[in-house]
Amino acid sequence: MTRGDQPLDGQPLDGQPLDGQSLDGQSLDGRAVRGGSSPAIPEIRDLLVAHTSAGTLRIVLQQLTLREDGREVGVHEVIDAVTDVGGNLVTFSLRASVHGDLEDAARLETAIRRLREDIAADPARPIDSLVVLIDGDGHHRVNVDSGLEVSPQDVATHPALRDGAHHITHESPALDDLRDRLASPPPGVLRRGRDLVRGWLRRSV
């Protein structure tokens, strides 16, 4: 995954939020990231990028609170990579890889806890869905949502689930555009290439 030369902090993704409140430095419904961002974001990015492969376009991390009869019974966690494989968008789960490294698993838990603390949430409205999206061009978005009732039995088909497959289904045009932009060499490289060719042609005359 290409991290790019731009800092992640405070750079929202283009387009509209998937759902809930989008935290990109703006105060929405009493929820905001102090200082316009959170130092947890680059830490989460660097940790997850280390577990991706070439061609990764987007990393999707979601923690979805599970409830039965209004009682919290667990958290469903998604850590997916959306990757370009031979021109096709494919999603791979990174969760086993991340949690298979005890140090990385502990670092991720600490970073997510820090991110949650940096979100000024109303205690009466706990975060039921936390989504962190990290794109290969260095942009990120954090979405939160409250008031969800997701049971362990329904989580796989619940509309609040935002895994890699959801992104391929609902955001493939944006992902295709991202793939094309990442595949294009930066203008500086093109310019240097033209200069080299022109210099070679002049020497050949």
Side-chain angles (χ1 to χ4, degrees):
M1 182 174 183
T2 303
R3 300 185 192 181
D5 297 327
Q6 307 175 45
L8 271 162
D9 288 352
Q11 293 187 342
L13 290 168
D14 296 332
Q16 298 299 314
L18 295 175
D19 60 358
Q21 312 302 321
S22 176
L23 303 181
D24 52 27
Q26 304 298 317
S27 177
L28 297 172
D29 194 26
R31 294 161 179 260
V33 177
R34 290 196 296 269
S37 189
S38 167
I41 295 293
E43 185 172 352
I44 292 172
R45 174 203 61 195
D46 291 347
L47 191 155
L48 296 182
V49 162
H51 290 268
T52 63
S53 60
T56 297
L57 304 174
R58 175 174 294 175
I59 298 174
V60 183
L61 183 149
Q62 181 181 32
Q63 289 190 339
L64 192 59
T65 301
L66 303 178
R67 288 191 171 84
E68 287 184 340
D69 300 323
R71 179 174 57 89
E72 185 174 337
V73 295
V75 174
H76 179 76
E77 184 180 69
V78 169
I79 309 176
D80 283 352
V82 178
T83 303
D84 172 41
V85 179
N88 297 312
L89 297 176
V90 180
T91 181
F92 298 97
S93 176
L94 304 177
R95 191 174 186 279
S97 175
V98 173
H99 286 277
D101 186 313
L102 296 182
E103 182 178 348
D104 280 358
R107 287 175 55 206
L108 181 62
E109 181 180 356
T110 299
I112 292 176
R113 182 170 61 248
R114 186 177 186 182
L115 176 60
R116 287 178 176 271
E117 291 171 352
D118 283 344
I119 298 172
D122 181 352
R125 295 184 59 203
I127 297 173
D128 291 327
S129 173
L130 171 69
V131 181
V132 180
L133 303 179
I134 300 170
D135 275 7
D137 61 359
H139 287 73
H140 77 269
R141 182 169 66 205
V142 178
N143 288 0
V144 298
D145 208 352
S146 299
L148 301 175
E149 288 291 335
V150 184
S151 71
Q153 296 76 24
D154 297 336
V155 65
T157 57
H158 198 282
L161 182 64
R162 294 291 186 265
D163 56 5
H166 173 92
H167 283 260
I168 291 175
T169 300
H170 296 279
E171 294 202 14
S172 57
L175 289 167
D176 287 339
D177 178 67
L178 176 62
R179 174 180 54 197
D180 293 342
R181 285 188 283 114
L182 291 177
S184 300
V189 174
L190 289 173
R191 193 176 303 113
R192 288 195 298 271
R194 286 198 302 268
D195 292 343
L196 286 172
V197 171
R198 288 172 180 169
W200 179 80
L201 290 174
R202 283 196 298 268
R203 289 193 298 271
S204 298
V205 175

